[in-house]
Amino acid sequence: DAMVIQNPRYQVTQFGKPVTLSCSQTLNHNVMYWYQQKSSQAPKLLFHYYDKDFNNEADTPDNFQSRRPNTSFCFLDIRSPGLGDAAMYLCATSIDRASSSYEQYFGPGTRLTVT
Amino acid sequence: GDSVTQMEGPVTLSEEAFLTINCTYTATGYPSLFWYVQYPGEGLQLLLKATKADDKGSNKGFEATYRKETTSFHLEKGSVQVSDSAVYFCALLRYNAGNMLTFGGGTRLMVKP
């Protein structure tokens, strides 16, 4: 089945130690998103890629960066995680072409713990 | 700007009870409307959607009708099950570069046997 895959599902890192979360998709969607979600609050958009174009939300901390080496993969890098960065990180994809349905498809998420 | 308002939870119901979760929105133009469901420890799953006024989205016994005159998209289910316990998010999307979602705050549903 076509899907959005996130690895790992659970990640533990130390305060200040860089960490990378990964997302892959088999949907061939051209838009990929990274969200941060805390305590069943609404997901907060960090950034998105429209094809290769990177779009950062204005309030996303500089500590968060992203890479999209190809259509299928997208990475979230947290350069120096703080305790406040502990959260669920959700990857999503959508397609932005004519005759498409546009909704976003979410992966299962990676729960990040910072010790 | 766009916004979505959901009733606050938690909503606690007994099995087989009728469910309504209210959702209203503010947006210009004609957004598409969605309900997503999130089970504990998992990502968001699209539950249903409606893309234009008077459309009814339905899935797994859940329904919601896009009411432009009241700017609402209330989620309903006639008979809830314990397995429906989850957090439900209402969201809108306006078609533009990137297709951004605007989420409501989420409503936790707890169904007791």
Side-chain angles (χ1 to χ4, degrees):
Chain A
D1 288 341
M3 56 197 305
V4 182
I5 302 161
Q6 290 188 246
N7 286 307
R9 293 292 309 276
Y10 301 91
Q11 176 74 57
V12 180
T13 191
Q14 294 177 340
F15 184 93
K17 185 175 181 180
V19 65
T20 295
L21 309 181
S22 71
C23 176
S24 64
Q25 53 128 341
T26 60
L27 297 161
N28 201 31
H29 284 175
N30 60 330
V31 191
M32 294 187 77
Y33 311 80
W34 279 105
Y35 290 88
Q36 180 191 65
Q37 187 185 29
K38 295 185 176 182
S39 303
S40 290
Q41 297 175 16
K44 178 181 182 298
L45 182 65
L46 296 173
F47 24 61
H48 76 279
Y49 275 93
Y50 189 105
D51 293 319
K52 295 182 178 180
D53 293 334
F54 176 72
N55 297 271
N56 201 29
E57 292 301 297
D59 57 354
T60 298
D62 293 340
N63 198 27
F64 291 84
Q65 297 181 337
S66 183
R67 297 170 282 135
R68 189 179 185 186
N70 53 52
T71 300
S72 300
F73 285 87
C74 195
F75 300 97
L76 169 62
D77 300 310
I78 308 177
R79 291 192 296 184
S80 182
L83 297 178
D85 297 328
M88 174 78 90
Y89 289 88
L90 298 168
C91 175
T93 72
S94 75
I95 190 164
D96 187 10
R97 298 192 185 98
S99 71
S100 62
S101 56
Y102 301 104
E103 63 257 31
Q104 292 187 18
Y105 295 82
F106 284 81
T110 294
R111 180 162 297 284
L112 178 68
T113 301
V114 181
T115 61
Chain B
D2 298 342
S3 67
V4 177
T5 302
Q6 291 180 234
M7 60 189 293
E8 289 193 17
V11 173
T12 304
L13 296 173
S14 297
E15 208 165 22
E16 299 184 2
F18 185 86
L19 168 71
T20 300
I21 300 178
N22 290 337
C23 171
T24 56
Y25 69 91
T26 301
T28 56
Y30 300 91
S32 287
L33 301 173
F34 304 87
W35 278 100
Y36 283 89
V37 58
Q38 186 174 33
Y39 298 101
E42 299 191 7
L44 274 67
Q45 298 176 25
L46 179 64
L47 182 59
L48 53 83
K49 66 177 182 181
T51 58
K52 60 183 185 297
D54 300 324
D55 267 3
K56 177 186 282 188
S58 62
N59 185 27
K60 300 181 181 179
F62 291 90
E63 293 183 340
T65 301
Y66 189 160
R67 302 286 189 197
K68 189 160 180 64
E69 63 276 13
T70 55
T71 61
S72 65
F73 193 54
H74 304 322
L75 182 68
E76 297 182 335
K77 187 176 185 183
S79 177
V80 294
Q81 306 299 313
V82 173
S83 57
D84 295 326
S85 299
V87 179
Y88 292 81
F89 291 97
C90 183
L92 71 80
L93 182 149
R94 285 203 286 132
Y95 301 137
N96 53 25
N99 295 328
M100 301 306 157
L101 281 172
T102 299
F103 285 98
T107 303
R108 179 177 298 278
L109 170 66
M110 300 170 58
V111 181
K112 298 185 175 181

